[in-house]
Structures are given as C-alpha cells and as structure tokens.
Amino acid sequence: MITRDNPSMNSTAETIFLSNSDFEIRERCRAREDAIVHEQFQKQQIETLTAELTKANEEKAQIAKESDAKLAKVTEEKKESDAKLAKVTEEKKKSDEENALLRQILKDHGIDV
C-alpha cells in the first residue's frame, strides 16, 4: 500500500515484511522447540514414575509374601499350642479324676485328708 504511492519505499517495505516474517518463523520454531522439550520431559517423567511404580509393586508383593509366610508360621504355632493345651487339659482332667478317686478311697477307709 505504501509502495504504490512511493516506489522508493518498495525496498524498505520488503525489508520490514521479511523482518516480520522472520520473527514469526522464529517464534513458531521456538514454540515447536518448546513443545518438543516439554514432550521429552513428560516422556522422561512417565518412564521414571513407571519404574518407581514397578519397584513399589515388587516391594509390596515381597512384603505380602513375607507376611503370608509369617502368618502361616504363626498359624502353625497356634495349632501346636492348641494341641499341647488340649493334651495338658486332658492330663489335668485325668489327674483330677484320679485325685477324686484316691480321696474317695481314703475317705472310705476312714482317712480324712
């Protein structure tokens, strides 16, 4: 528009146009570079977090396995203790019955205990 009225301004207008075009191109290139860097950062973060999650899941599985083993051991020990208690209880019952029988025999023979 300026160069139609003043042909000597043609060179100046072209220089301004090229300068502005270069700026827009530089801005687009910078935005593209920023997007590439951001995408790489996100990809790296995803990989890091995925690795951490995998490690945490492995640790969780190991802890669960150890807990299950401890629970099985405690359960087995409880069964053994219950069996021992039942045996001792049965022995005590027999002993109490024998004591009662012996007391009765002593009482029958006139011995006061």
Side-chain angles (χ1 to χ4, degrees):
M1 187 168 79
I2 294 172
T3 59
R4 271 188 284 161
D5 297 334
N6 189 351
S8 64
M9 294 295 284
N10 193 21
S11 172
T12 304
E14 285 180 14
T15 302
I16 291 172
F17 176 76
L18 289 175
S19 176
N20 285 340
S21 295
D22 288 345
F23 176 76
E24 288 179 29
I25 291 170
R26 282 194 308 269
E27 283 300 306
R28 285 184 183 174
C29 289
R30 186 190 56 76
R32 183 172 185 270
E33 289 289 325
D34 289 347
I36 291 170
V37 169
H38 183 69
E39 183 178 349
Q40 289 172 344
F41 174 76
Q42 285 181 326
K43 184 178 179 182
Q44 182 183 16
Q45 285 295 99
I46 289 170
E47 290 172 358
T48 300
L49 293 173
T50 301
E52 289 176 5
L53 180 62
T54 301
K55 183 179 177 183
N57 285 337
E58 289 171 356
E59 290 174 359
K60 178 182 170 187
Q62 181 64 30
I63 290 170
K65 183 179 178 181
E66 290 171 3
S67 295
D68 289 345
K70 287 179 183 179
L71 179 60
K73 183 179 177 182
V74 168
T75 302
E76 184 61 33
E77 289 173 354
K78 183 183 180 304
K79 285 180 184 179
E80 291 173 5
S81 294
D82 289 347
K84 286 178 184 178
L85 179 61
K87 183 178 177 182
V88 169
T89 301
E90 184 62 32
E91 289 174 357
K92 183 182 180 309
K93 182 179 176 184
K94 286 180 183 179
S95 178
D96 288 346
E97 289 172 357
E98 287 176 1
N99 283 338
L101 181 60
L102 289 172
R103 286 180 198 271
Q104 185 61 41
I105 291 172
L106 289 172
K107 186 177 181 182
D108 291 345
H109 286 84
I111 303 172
D112 196 22
V113 183

